[in-house]
Amino acid sequence: EDKVVQSPLSLVVHEGDTVTLNCSYEVTNFRSLLWYKQEKKAPTFLFMLTSSGIEKKSGRLSSILDKKELFSILNITATQTGDSAVYLCAVRGSSNTGKLIFGQGTTLQVKP
Amino acid sequence: NAGVTQTPKFRVLKTGQSMTLLCAQDMNHEYMYWYRQDPGMGLRLIHYSVGEGTTAKGEVPDGYNVSRLKKQNFLLGLESAAPSQTSVYFCASSYLVRGPPYSNQPQHFGDGTRLSIL
């Protein structure tokens, strides 16, 4: 059965800290791994990773994929209160339907 | 562009009532999805559609039906609502790049419908 597990489930840090969120997966014929940020409403897209070892970066956020060990990490440096959100990891398997399997999410709270 | 729009935003139902949630997208996407989100469980796929007139079951389809009569709309129906269907429902859409590497693009989400069933 395809599965995505995120850790930790919740995290509290102070502004300026660096955080690392983890995502491990088991999926048939892996195609891609996606990270989303969810504040009050709709999840918003952050990164899509398909190849091992290539870091994707956007400002203070970065992510990397390890297809051999079946995991990905999302790093946030110099955290700000606006980074407080639920971070969702999802993987896409072999079908062309585009279906995603989501992890439980990591709730990040950044305190001033 | 409005993106993905869901209506209604909130609804309270009594057990046994029926209702339809509407999802509309203006991005000409072929693929559309309905998820539910419950505390501690992430997003779970209910039904999805890979094109107008086609639908398929996802991970948790029981108690729900869907229709995709027009490309831009995807409807989720609850025929006889149950308290276990209290949840936040999200609709999403995406498209397939029709050329190498033929990859599915990221899904775009609506703002959700909060549904309570008493």
Side-chain angles (χ1 to χ4, degrees), chain A residues 34 36 38 41-43 45 48 88 92 95-100 102-104, chain B residues 31 33 35 37 40-43 45 48 50 90 104-107 109-111:
Chain A
L34 292 84
Y36 285 84
Q38 185 180 23
K41 296 183 178 179
F45 171 71
M48 184 165 75
L88 298 166
R92 187 174 275 154
S95 71
N96 283 325
T97 62
K99 290 191 296 180
L100 292 175
F102 281 85
Q104 322 94 301
Chain B
Y31 298 83
Y33 311 86
Y35 294 91
Q37 186 174 36
M41 300 191 74
L43 286 145
L45 184 64
Y48 64 98
V50 299
F90 286 98
N104 291 101
Q105 294 305 292
Q107 293 179 13
F109 285 82
D111 282 344

PDB file of all heavy atoms in Angstrom, chain A residues 34 36 38 41-43 45 48 88 92 95-100 102-104, chain B residues 31 33 35 37 40-43 45 48 50 90 104-107 109-111:
ATOM      1  N   LEU A  34       5.883  16.270  -3.939  1.00  0.00           N
ATOM      2  CA  LEU A  34       5.495  17.683  -3.888  1.00  0.00           C
ATOM      3  C   LEU A  34       5.378  18.146  -2.441  1.00  0.00           C
ATOM      4  O   LEU A  34       4.961  17.391  -1.562  1.00  0.00           O
ATOM      5  CB  LEU A  34       4.159  17.902  -4.590  1.00  0.00           C
ATOM      6  CG  LEU A  34       4.116  17.703  -6.104  1.00  0.00           C
ATOM      7  CD1 LEU A  34       3.920  16.238  -6.467  1.00  0.00           C
ATOM      8  CD2 LEU A  34       3.019  18.537  -6.739  1.00  0.00           C
ATOM      9  N   TYR A  36       3.598  21.278  -0.153  1.00  0.00           N
ATOM     10  CA  TYR A  36       2.618  22.355  -0.121  1.00  0.00           C
ATOM     11  C   TYR A  36       2.655  23.023   1.248  1.00  0.00           C
ATOM     12  O   TYR A  36       2.967  22.390   2.259  1.00  0.00           O
ATOM     13  CB  TYR A  36       1.199  21.812  -0.339  1.00  0.00           C
ATOM     14  CG  TYR A  36       0.863  21.417  -1.751  1.00  0.00           C
ATOM     15  CD1 TYR A  36       1.198  20.162  -2.244  1.00  0.00           C
ATOM     16  CD2 TYR A  36       0.186  22.293  -2.595  1.00  0.00           C
ATOM     17  CE1 TYR A  36       0.875  19.795  -3.548  1.00  0.00           C
ATOM     18  CE2 TYR A  36      -0.150  21.936  -3.889  1.00  0.00           C
ATOM     19  CZ  TYR A  36       0.199  20.685  -4.361  1.00  0.00           C
ATOM     20  OH  TYR A  36      -0.126  20.330  -5.651  1.00  0.00           O
ATOM     21  N   GLN A  38       0.068  25.073   3.837  1.00  0.00           N
ATOM     22  CA  GLN A  38      -1.343  25.354   4.072  1.00  0.00           C
ATOM     23  C   GLN A  38      -1.503  26.260   5.280  1.00  0.00           C
ATOM     24  O   GLN A  38      -1.189  25.863   6.400  1.00  0.00           O
ATOM     25  CB  GLN A  38      -2.129  24.049   4.265  1.00  0.00           C
ATOM     26  CG  GLN A  38      -3.628  24.263   4.392  1.00  0.00           C
ATOM     27  CD  GLN A  38      -4.394  22.974   4.574  1.00  0.00           C
ATOM     28  OE1 GLN A  38      -3.852  21.966   5.021  1.00  0.00           O
ATOM     29  NE2 GLN A  38      -5.679  22.983   4.215  1.00  0.00           N
ATOM     30  N   LYS A  41      -6.484  28.343   4.549  1.00  0.00           N
ATOM     31  CA  LYS A  41      -7.384  27.780   3.544  1.00  0.00           C
ATOM     32  C   LYS A  41      -6.672  26.805   2.607  1.00  0.00           C
ATOM     33  O   LYS A  41      -6.266  25.737   3.020  1.00  0.00           O
ATOM     34  CB  LYS A  41      -8.032  28.931   2.766  1.00  0.00           C
ATOM     35  CG  LYS A  41      -8.921  29.819   3.642  1.00  0.00           C
ATOM     36  CD  LYS A  41      -9.618  30.906   2.834  1.00  0.00           C
ATOM     37  CE  LYS A  41     -10.530  31.720   3.722  1.00  0.00           C
ATOM     38  NZ  LYS A  41     -11.205  32.816   2.956  1.00  0.00           N
ATOM     39  N   ALA A  42      -6.547  27.196   1.346  1.00  0.00           N
ATOM     40  CA  ALA A  42      -6.059  26.270   0.326  1.00  0.00           C
ATOM     41  C   ALA A  42      -4.582  25.955   0.477  1.00  0.00           C
ATOM     42  O   ALA A  42      -3.785  26.856   0.737  1.00  0.00           O
ATOM     43  CB  ALA A  42      -6.299  26.865  -1.065  1.00  0.00           C
ATOM     44  N   PRO A  43      -4.187  24.698   0.314  1.00  0.00           N
ATOM     45  CA  PRO A  43      -2.753  24.396   0.212  1.00  0.00           C
ATOM     46  C   PRO A  43      -2.169  25.118  -1.002  1.00  0.00           C
ATOM     47  O   PRO A  43      -2.786  25.134  -2.085  1.00  0.00           O
ATOM     48  CB  PRO A  43      -2.723  22.883   0.007  1.00  0.00           C
ATOM     49  CG  PRO A  43      -4.027  22.380   0.543  1.00  0.00           C
ATOM     50  CD  PRO A  43      -5.002  23.485   0.277  1.00  0.00           C
ATOM     51  N   PHE A  45       1.260  25.522  -3.519  1.00  0.00           N
ATOM     52  CA  PHE A  45       2.378  24.722  -4.005  1.00  0.00           C
ATOM     53  C   PHE A  45       3.711  25.376  -3.683  1.00  0.00           C
ATOM     54  O   PHE A  45       3.885  26.587  -3.863  1.00  0.00           O
ATOM     55  CB  PHE A  45       2.232  24.535  -5.518  1.00  0.00           C
ATOM     56  CG  PHE A  45       3.415  23.918  -6.178  1.00  0.00           C
ATOM     57  CD1 PHE A  45       3.721  22.595  -5.980  1.00  0.00           C
ATOM     58  CD2 PHE A  45       4.237  24.680  -7.000  1.00  0.00           C
ATOM     59  CE1 PHE A  45       4.823  22.024  -6.592  1.00  0.00           C
ATOM     60  CE2 PHE A  45       5.338  24.126  -7.611  1.00  0.00           C
ATOM     61  CZ  PHE A  45       5.639  22.800  -7.410  1.00  0.00           C
ATOM     62  N   MET A  48       8.168  20.822  -6.498  1.00  0.00           N
ATOM     63  CA  MET A  48       7.984  19.485  -7.037  1.00  0.00           C
ATOM     64  C   MET A  48       9.355  18.906  -7.338  1.00  0.00           C
ATOM     65  O   MET A  48      10.157  19.560  -8.025  1.00  0.00           O
ATOM     66  CB  MET A  48       7.119  19.480  -8.299  1.00  0.00           C
ATOM     67  CG  MET A  48       6.841  18.076  -8.820  1.00  0.00           C
ATOM     68  SD  MET A  48       5.503  18.012 -10.038  1.00  0.00           S
ATOM     69  CE  MET A  48       6.293  18.672 -11.490  1.00  0.00           C
ATOM     70  N   LEU A  88       2.587  20.188   3.960  1.00  0.00           N
ATOM     71  CA  LEU A  88       2.117  18.901   3.461  1.00  0.00           C
ATOM     72  C   LEU A  88       3.078  18.340   2.427  1.00  0.00           C
ATOM     73  O   LEU A  88       3.539  19.069   1.541  1.00  0.00           O
ATOM     74  CB  LEU A  88       0.737  19.062   2.809  1.00  0.00           C
ATOM     75  CG  LEU A  88      -0.396  19.531   3.722  1.00  0.00           C
ATOM     76  CD1 LEU A  88      -1.600  19.974   2.903  1.00  0.00           C
ATOM     77  CD2 LEU A  88      -0.804  18.423   4.678  1.00  0.00           C
ATOM     78  N   ARG A  92       3.462  11.160  -5.977  1.00  0.00           N
ATOM     79  CA  ARG A  92       2.707  10.748  -7.141  1.00  0.00           C
ATOM     80  C   ARG A  92       3.323   9.458  -7.664  1.00  0.00           C
ATOM     81  O   ARG A  92       4.535   9.376  -7.819  1.00  0.00           O
ATOM     82  CB  ARG A  92       2.781  11.859  -8.180  1.00  0.00           C
ATOM     83  CG  ARG A  92       1.922  11.689  -9.382  1.00  0.00           C
ATOM     84  CD  ARG A  92       1.999  12.939 -10.217  1.00  0.00           C
ATOM     85  NE  ARG A  92       1.067  13.974  -9.794  1.00  0.00           N
ATOM     86  CZ  ARG A  92       1.253  15.271  -9.992  1.00  0.00           C
ATOM     87  NH1 ARG A  92       2.346  15.711 -10.582  1.00  0.00           N
ATOM     88  NH2 ARG A  92       0.339  16.135  -9.616  1.00  0.00           N
ATOM     89  N   SER A  95       0.556   5.960 -12.129  1.00  0.00           N
ATOM     90  CA  SER A  95      -0.538   6.178 -13.072  1.00  0.00           C
ATOM     91  C   SER A  95      -0.445   7.574 -13.672  1.00  0.00           C
ATOM     92  O   SER A  95       0.203   8.454 -13.127  1.00  0.00           O
ATOM     93  CB  SER A  95      -1.876   6.018 -12.375  1.00  0.00           C
ATOM     94  OG  SER A  95      -2.095   7.104 -11.516  1.00  0.00           O
ATOM     95  N   ASN A  96      -1.087   7.774 -14.812  1.00  0.00           N
ATOM     96  CA  ASN A  96      -1.123   9.102 -15.428  1.00  0.00           C
ATOM     97  C   ASN A  96      -2.306   9.924 -14.962  1.00  0.00           C
ATOM     98  O   ASN A  96      -2.675  10.900 -15.592  1.00  0.00           O
ATOM     99  CB  ASN A  96      -1.151   8.966 -16.950  1.00  0.00           C
ATOM    100  CG  ASN A  96       0.206   8.619 -17.498  1.00  0.00           C
ATOM    101  OD1 ASN A  96       1.218   9.069 -16.985  1.00  0.00           O
ATOM    102  ND2 ASN A  96       0.232   7.805 -18.535  1.00  0.00           N
ATOM    103  N   THR A  97      -2.909   9.515 -13.868  1.00  0.00           N
ATOM    104  CA  THR A  97      -4.070  10.254 -13.362  1.00  0.00           C
ATOM    105  C   THR A  97      -3.679  11.481 -12.557  1.00  0.00           C
ATOM    106  O   THR A  97      -4.522  12.301 -12.223  1.00  0.00           O
ATOM    107  CB  THR A  97      -4.902   9.347 -12.445  1.00  0.00           C
ATOM    108  OG1 THR A  97      -4.094   8.960 -11.334  1.00  0.00           O
ATOM    109  CG2 THR A  97      -5.397   8.118 -13.193  1.00  0.00           C
ATOM    110  N   GLY A  98      -2.394  11.586 -12.212  1.00  0.00           N
ATOM    111  CA  GLY A  98      -1.946  12.721 -11.415  1.00  0.00           C
ATOM    112  C   GLY A  98      -2.317  12.632  -9.950  1.00  0.00           C
ATOM    113  O   GLY A  98      -2.129  13.594  -9.204  1.00  0.00           O
ATOM    114  N   LYS A  99      -2.832  11.494  -9.514  1.00  0.00           N
ATOM    115  CA  LYS A  99      -3.266  11.351  -8.119  1.00  0.00           C
ATOM    116  C   LYS A  99      -2.108  11.547  -7.166  1.00  0.00           C
ATOM    117  O   LYS A  99      -0.994  11.111  -7.417  1.00  0.00           O
ATOM    118  CB  LYS A  99      -3.851   9.955  -7.887  1.00  0.00           C
ATOM    119  CG  LYS A  99      -5.178   9.704  -8.564  1.00  0.00           C
ATOM    120  CD  LYS A  99      -5.801   8.414  -8.057  1.00  0.00           C
ATOM    121  CE  LYS A  99      -4.977   7.204  -8.399  1.00  0.00           C
ATOM    122  NZ  LYS A  99      -5.599   5.958  -7.894  1.00  0.00           N
ATOM    123  N   LEU A 100      -2.393  12.212  -6.038  1.00  0.00           N
ATOM    124  CA  LEU A 100      -1.403  12.441  -5.000  1.00  0.00           C
ATOM    125  C   LEU A 100      -1.782  11.673  -3.736  1.00  0.00           C
ATOM    126  O   LEU A 100      -2.962  11.586  -3.403  1.00  0.00           O
ATOM    127  CB  LEU A 100      -1.312  13.928  -4.667  1.00  0.00           C
ATOM    128  CG  LEU A 100      -0.745  14.843  -5.734  1.00  0.00           C
ATOM    129  CD1 LEU A 100      -0.849  16.300  -5.297  1.00  0.00           C
ATOM    130  CD2 LEU A 100       0.702  14.493  -6.035  1.00  0.00           C
ATOM    131  N   PHE A 102      -1.054  11.976   0.218  1.00  0.00           N
ATOM    132  CA  PHE A 102      -0.558  12.968   1.158  1.00  0.00           C
ATOM    133  C   PHE A 102      -0.135  12.340   2.471  1.00  0.00           C
ATOM    134  O   PHE A 102      -0.713  11.351   2.935  1.00  0.00           O
ATOM    135  CB  PHE A 102      -1.646  14.014   1.450  1.00  0.00           C
ATOM    136  CG  PHE A 102      -1.800  15.040   0.380  1.00  0.00           C
ATOM    137  CD1 PHE A 102      -2.606  14.805  -0.720  1.00  0.00           C
ATOM    138  CD2 PHE A 102      -1.129  16.247   0.464  1.00  0.00           C
ATOM    139  CE1 PHE A 102      -2.752  15.751  -1.721  1.00  0.00           C
ATOM    140  CE2 PHE A 102      -1.263  17.210  -0.527  1.00  0.00           C
ATOM    141  CZ  PHE A 102      -2.069  16.953  -1.625  1.00  0.00           C
ATOM    142  N   GLY A 103       0.872  12.953   3.099  1.00  0.00           N
ATOM    143  CA  GLY A 103       1.197  12.647   4.468  1.00  0.00           C
ATOM    144  C   GLY A 103       0.266  13.391   5.413  1.00  0.00           C
ATOM    145  O   GLY A 103      -0.614  14.154   4.979  1.00  0.00           O
ATOM    146  N   GLN A 104       0.487  13.191   6.712  1.00  0.00           N
ATOM    147  CA  GLN A 104      -0.406  13.795   7.719  1.00  0.00           C
ATOM    148  C   GLN A 104      -0.190  15.301   7.878  1.00  0.00           C
ATOM    149  O   GLN A 104      -1.035  16.002   8.408  1.00  0.00           O
ATOM    150  CB  GLN A 104      -0.212  13.147   9.102  1.00  0.00           C
ATOM    151  CG  GLN A 104       0.039  11.658   9.084  1.00  0.00           C
ATOM    152  CD  GLN A 104       1.510  11.352   9.103  1.00  0.00           C
ATOM    153  OE1 GLN A 104       2.253  11.770   8.209  1.00  0.00           O
ATOM    154  NE2 GLN A 104       1.953  10.607  10.093  1.00  0.00           N
TER     155      GLN A 104
ATOM    156  N   TYR B  31      -7.661  17.538 -15.398  1.00  0.00           N
ATOM    157  CA  TYR B  31      -7.786  16.699 -14.224  1.00  0.00           C
ATOM    158  C   TYR B  31      -8.393  17.477 -13.053  1.00  0.00           C
ATOM    159  O   TYR B  31      -7.991  18.605 -12.779  1.00  0.00           O
ATOM    160  CB  TYR B  31      -6.396  16.196 -13.787  1.00  0.00           C
ATOM    161  CG  TYR B  31      -5.696  15.348 -14.797  1.00  0.00           C
ATOM    162  CD1 TYR B  31      -4.982  15.926 -15.847  1.00  0.00           C
ATOM    163  CD2 TYR B  31      -5.732  13.970 -14.711  1.00  0.00           C
ATOM    164  CE1 TYR B  31      -4.329  15.146 -16.775  1.00  0.00           C
ATOM    165  CE2 TYR B  31      -5.073  13.173 -15.638  1.00  0.00           C
ATOM    166  CZ  TYR B  31      -4.372  13.774 -16.662  1.00  0.00           C
ATOM    167  OH  TYR B  31      -3.721  12.980 -17.590  1.00  0.00           O
ATOM    168  N   TYR B  33     -10.029  16.859  -8.841  1.00  0.00           N
ATOM    169  CA  TYR B  33      -9.976  15.953  -7.691  1.00  0.00           C
ATOM    170  C   TYR B  33     -10.824  16.503  -6.548  1.00  0.00           C
ATOM    171  O   TYR B  33     -10.891  17.716  -6.350  1.00  0.00           O
ATOM    172  CB  TYR B  33      -8.532  15.817  -7.180  1.00  0.00           C
ATOM    173  CG  TYR B  33      -7.511  15.533  -8.255  1.00  0.00           C
ATOM    174  CD1 TYR B  33      -6.923  16.576  -8.970  1.00  0.00           C
ATOM    175  CD2 TYR B  33      -7.132  14.231  -8.557  1.00  0.00           C
ATOM    176  CE1 TYR B  33      -5.998  16.318  -9.965  1.00  0.00           C
ATOM    177  CE2 TYR B  33      -6.198  13.971  -9.545  1.00  0.00           C
ATOM    178  CZ  TYR B  33      -5.631  15.016 -10.245  1.00  0.00           C
ATOM    179  OH  TYR B  33      -4.707  14.756 -11.229  1.00  0.00           O
ATOM    180  N   TYR B  35     -10.944  16.028  -2.342  1.00  0.00           N
ATOM    181  CA  TYR B  35     -10.306  15.491  -1.148  1.00  0.00           C
ATOM    182  C   TYR B  35     -11.145  15.862   0.070  1.00  0.00           C
ATOM    183  O   TYR B  35     -11.872  16.847   0.069  1.00  0.00           O
ATOM    184  CB  TYR B  35      -8.920  16.108  -0.937  1.00  0.00           C
ATOM    185  CG  TYR B  35      -7.891  15.778  -1.974  1.00  0.00           C
ATOM    186  CD1 TYR B  35      -7.712  16.591  -3.091  1.00  0.00           C
ATOM    187  CD2 TYR B  35      -7.058  14.681  -1.825  1.00  0.00           C
ATOM    188  CE1 TYR B  35      -6.739  16.296  -4.032  1.00  0.00           C
ATOM    189  CE2 TYR B  35      -6.079  14.383  -2.758  1.00  0.00           C
ATOM    190  CZ  TYR B  35      -5.933  15.199  -3.870  1.00  0.00           C
ATOM    191  OH  TYR B  35      -4.970  14.908  -4.795  1.00  0.00           O
ATOM    192  N   GLN B  37     -10.290  16.578   4.309  1.00  0.00           N
ATOM    193  CA  GLN B  37      -9.202  16.767   5.258  1.00  0.00           C
ATOM    194  C   GLN B  37      -9.751  16.699   6.666  1.00  0.00           C
ATOM    195  O   GLN B  37     -10.595  17.508   7.053  1.00  0.00           O
ATOM    196  CB  GLN B  37      -8.488  18.106   5.030  1.00  0.00           C
ATOM    197  CG  GLN B  37      -7.257  18.279   5.897  1.00  0.00           C
ATOM    198  CD  GLN B  37      -6.485  19.541   5.571  1.00  0.00           C
ATOM    199  OE1 GLN B  37      -7.051  20.580   5.236  1.00  0.00           O
ATOM    200  NE2 GLN B  37      -5.158  19.464   5.646  1.00  0.00           N
ATOM    201  N   GLY B  40      -5.258  15.427  11.743  1.00  0.00           N
ATOM    202  CA  GLY B  40      -4.255  14.379  11.889  1.00  0.00           C
ATOM    203  C   GLY B  40      -4.193  13.371  10.755  1.00  0.00           C
ATOM    204  O   GLY B  40      -3.450  12.395  10.838  1.00  0.00           O
ATOM    205  N   MET B  41      -4.972  13.618   9.681  1.00  0.00           N
ATOM    206  CA  MET B  41      -5.020  12.608   8.619  1.00  0.00           C
ATOM    207  C   MET B  41      -4.638  13.155   7.250  1.00  0.00           C
ATOM    208  O   MET B  41      -4.775  12.477   6.254  1.00  0.00           O
ATOM    209  CB  MET B  41      -6.405  11.972   8.558  1.00  0.00           C
ATOM    210  CG  MET B  41      -6.792  11.285   9.843  1.00  0.00           C
ATOM    211  SD  MET B  41      -8.258  10.283   9.687  1.00  0.00           S
ATOM    212  CE  MET B  41      -7.623   8.904   8.771  1.00  0.00           C
ATOM    213  N   GLY B  42      -4.181  14.373   7.185  1.00  0.00           N
ATOM    214  CA  GLY B  42      -3.805  14.915   5.885  1.00  0.00           C
ATOM    215  C   GLY B  42      -4.998  14.982   4.944  1.00  0.00           C
ATOM    216  O   GLY B  42      -6.155  15.015   5.362  1.00  0.00           O
ATOM    217  N   LEU B  43      -4.730  14.962   3.649  1.00  0.00           N
ATOM    218  CA  LEU B  43      -5.771  15.008   2.623  1.00  0.00           C
ATOM    219  C   LEU B  43      -5.969  13.611   2.048  1.00  0.00           C
ATOM    220  O   LEU B  43      -4.994  12.950   1.686  1.00  0.00           O
ATOM    221  CB  LEU B  43      -5.356  15.958   1.492  1.00  0.00           C
ATOM    222  CG  LEU B  43      -5.436  17.436   1.833  1.00  0.00           C
ATOM    223  CD1 LEU B  43      -4.330  18.206   1.151  1.00  0.00           C
ATOM    224  CD2 LEU B  43      -6.781  17.978   1.401  1.00  0.00           C
ATOM    225  N   LEU B  45      -8.052  11.319  -0.882  1.00  0.00           N
ATOM    226  CA  LEU B  45      -8.742  11.455  -2.160  1.00  0.00           C
ATOM    227  C   LEU B  45     -10.076  10.717  -2.149  1.00  0.00           C
ATOM    228  O   LEU B  45     -10.143   9.522  -1.835  1.00  0.00           O
ATOM    229  CB  LEU B  45      -7.849  10.908  -3.279  1.00  0.00           C
ATOM    230  CG  LEU B  45      -8.368  11.044  -4.702  1.00  0.00           C
ATOM    231  CD1 LEU B  45      -8.488  12.523  -5.098  1.00  0.00           C
ATOM    232  CD2 LEU B  45      -7.438  10.309  -5.661  1.00  0.00           C
ATOM    233  N   TYR B  48     -11.953  11.353  -8.406  1.00  0.00           N
ATOM    234  CA  TYR B  48     -11.225  12.217  -9.303  1.00  0.00           C
ATOM    235  C   TYR B  48     -11.729  12.029 -10.731  1.00  0.00           C
ATOM    236  O   TYR B  48     -12.499  11.092 -11.014  1.00  0.00           O
ATOM    237  CB  TYR B  48      -9.713  11.963  -9.231  1.00  0.00           C
ATOM    238  CG  TYR B  48      -9.276  10.592  -9.689  1.00  0.00           C
ATOM    239  CD1 TYR B  48      -8.793  10.384 -10.972  1.00  0.00           C
ATOM    240  CD2 TYR B  48      -9.320   9.511  -8.804  1.00  0.00           C
ATOM    241  CE1 TYR B  48      -8.387   9.130 -11.382  1.00  0.00           C
ATOM    242  CE2 TYR B  48      -8.915   8.249  -9.206  1.00  0.00           C
ATOM    243  CZ  TYR B  48      -8.450   8.068 -10.492  1.00  0.00           C
ATOM    244  OH  TYR B  48      -8.046   6.814 -10.897  1.00  0.00           O
ATOM    245  N   VAL B  50     -10.322  12.496 -14.944  1.00  0.00           N
ATOM    246  CA  VAL B  50      -9.219  12.800 -15.874  1.00  0.00           C
ATOM    247  C   VAL B  50      -9.729  13.476 -17.139  1.00  0.00           C
ATOM    248  O   VAL B  50      -8.953  13.722 -18.066  1.00  0.00           O
ATOM    249  CB  VAL B  50      -8.406  11.540 -16.216  1.00  0.00           C
ATOM    250  CG1 VAL B  50      -7.788  10.955 -14.954  1.00  0.00           C
ATOM    251  CG2 VAL B  50      -9.241  10.508 -16.953  1.00  0.00           C
ATOM    252  N   PHE B  90     -11.809  19.734  -0.056  1.00  0.00           N
ATOM    253  CA  PHE B  90     -11.022  20.525  -1.000  1.00  0.00           C
ATOM    254  C   PHE B  90     -11.143  19.947  -2.398  1.00  0.00           C
ATOM    255  O   PHE B  90     -11.100  18.734  -2.593  1.00  0.00           O
ATOM    256  CB  PHE B  90      -9.543  20.530  -0.604  1.00  0.00           C
ATOM    257  CG  PHE B  90      -9.236  21.397   0.579  1.00  0.00           C
ATOM    258  CD1 PHE B  90      -9.121  20.855   1.842  1.00  0.00           C
ATOM    259  CD2 PHE B  90      -9.064  22.775   0.425  1.00  0.00           C
ATOM    260  CE1 PHE B  90      -8.840  21.648   2.937  1.00  0.00           C
ATOM    261  CE2 PHE B  90      -8.787  23.573   1.516  1.00  0.00           C
ATOM    262  CZ  PHE B  90      -8.675  23.006   2.775  1.00  0.00           C
ATOM    263  N   ASN B 104       2.669  15.146 -15.024  1.00  0.00           N
ATOM    264  CA  ASN B 104       1.530  15.801 -14.385  1.00  0.00           C
ATOM    265  C   ASN B 104       2.038  17.003 -13.611  1.00  0.00           C
ATOM    266  O   ASN B 104       3.007  16.897 -12.877  1.00  0.00           O
ATOM    267  CB  ASN B 104       0.813  14.853 -13.435  1.00  0.00           C
ATOM    268  CG  ASN B 104       0.091  13.741 -14.173  1.00  0.00           C
ATOM    269  OD1 ASN B 104       0.577  12.633 -14.242  1.00  0.00           O
ATOM    270  ND2 ASN B 104      -1.054  14.057 -14.735  1.00  0.00           N
ATOM    271  N   GLN B 105       1.379  18.116 -13.771  1.00  0.00           N
ATOM    272  CA  GLN B 105       1.796  19.335 -13.099  1.00  0.00           C
ATOM    273  C   GLN B 105       1.170  19.432 -11.710  1.00  0.00           C
ATOM    274  O   GLN B 105       0.230  18.703 -11.398  1.00  0.00           O
ATOM    275  CB  GLN B 105       1.415  20.541 -13.965  1.00  0.00           C
ATOM    276  CG  GLN B 105       2.192  20.567 -15.269  1.00  0.00           C
ATOM    277  CD  GLN B 105       3.683  20.515 -15.028  1.00  0.00           C
ATOM    278  OE1 GLN B 105       4.266  21.461 -14.493  1.00  0.00           O
ATOM    279  NE2 GLN B 105       4.320  19.417 -15.418  1.00  0.00           N
ATOM    280  N   PRO B 106       1.694  20.312 -10.850  1.00  0.00           N
ATOM    281  CA  PRO B 106       1.149  20.414  -9.480  1.00  0.00           C
ATOM    282  C   PRO B 106      -0.339  20.730  -9.485  1.00  0.00           C
ATOM    283  O   PRO B 106      -0.838  21.438 -10.363  1.00  0.00           O
ATOM    284  CB  PRO B 106       1.950  21.568  -8.885  1.00  0.00           C
ATOM    285  CG  PRO B 106       3.226  21.577  -9.646  1.00  0.00           C
ATOM    286  CD  PRO B 106       2.863  21.174 -11.035  1.00  0.00           C
ATOM    287  N   GLN B 107      -1.014  20.205  -8.489  1.00  0.00           N
ATOM    288  CA  GLN B 107      -2.439  20.485  -8.345  1.00  0.00           C
ATOM    289  C   GLN B 107      -2.642  21.856  -7.705  1.00  0.00           C
ATOM    290  O   GLN B 107      -1.906  22.253  -6.806  1.00  0.00           O
ATOM    291  CB  GLN B 107      -3.099  19.400  -7.486  1.00  0.00           C
ATOM    292  CG  GLN B 107      -3.128  18.040  -8.159  1.00  0.00           C
ATOM    293  CD  GLN B 107      -3.744  16.967  -7.312  1.00  0.00           C
ATOM    294  OE1 GLN B 107      -4.380  17.233  -6.292  1.00  0.00           O
ATOM    295  NE2 GLN B 107      -3.584  15.711  -7.724  1.00  0.00           N
ATOM    296  N   PHE B 109      -5.401  24.161  -5.620  1.00  0.00           N
ATOM    297  CA  PHE B 109      -6.506  23.881  -4.712  1.00  0.00           C
ATOM    298  C   PHE B 109      -7.452  25.067  -4.567  1.00  0.00           C
ATOM    299  O   PHE B 109      -7.032  26.229  -4.646  1.00  0.00           O
ATOM    300  CB  PHE B 109      -5.967  23.515  -3.331  1.00  0.00           C
ATOM    301  CG  PHE B 109      -5.393  22.136  -3.257  1.00  0.00           C
ATOM    302  CD1 PHE B 109      -4.103  21.884  -3.671  1.00  0.00           C
ATOM    303  CD2 PHE B 109      -6.168  21.085  -2.792  1.00  0.00           C
ATOM    304  CE1 PHE B 109      -3.573  20.606  -3.617  1.00  0.00           C
ATOM    305  CE2 PHE B 109      -5.653  19.793  -2.728  1.00  0.00           C
ATOM    306  CZ  PHE B 109      -4.354  19.559  -3.139  1.00  0.00           C
ATOM    307  N   GLY B 110      -8.719  24.739  -4.303  1.00  0.00           N
ATOM    308  CA  GLY B 110      -9.688  25.743  -3.887  1.00  0.00           C
ATOM    309  C   GLY B 110      -9.552  26.004  -2.395  1.00  0.00           C
ATOM    310  O   GLY B 110      -8.752  25.351  -1.706  1.00  0.00           O
ATOM    311  N   ASP B 111     -10.346  26.954  -1.880  1.00  0.00           N
ATOM    312  CA  ASP B 111     -10.244  27.356  -0.480  1.00  0.00           C
ATOM    313  C   ASP B 111     -10.972  26.435   0.486  1.00  0.00           C
ATOM    314  O   ASP B 111     -10.920  26.639   1.693  1.00  0.00           O
ATOM    315  CB  ASP B 111     -10.781  28.785  -0.306  1.00  0.00           C
ATOM    316  CG  ASP B 111      -9.775  29.826  -0.770  1.00  0.00           C
ATOM    317  OD1 ASP B 111      -8.583  29.477  -0.924  1.00  0.00           O
ATOM    318  OD2 ASP B 111     -10.189  30.981  -0.994  1.00  0.00           O
TER     319      ASP B 111
END
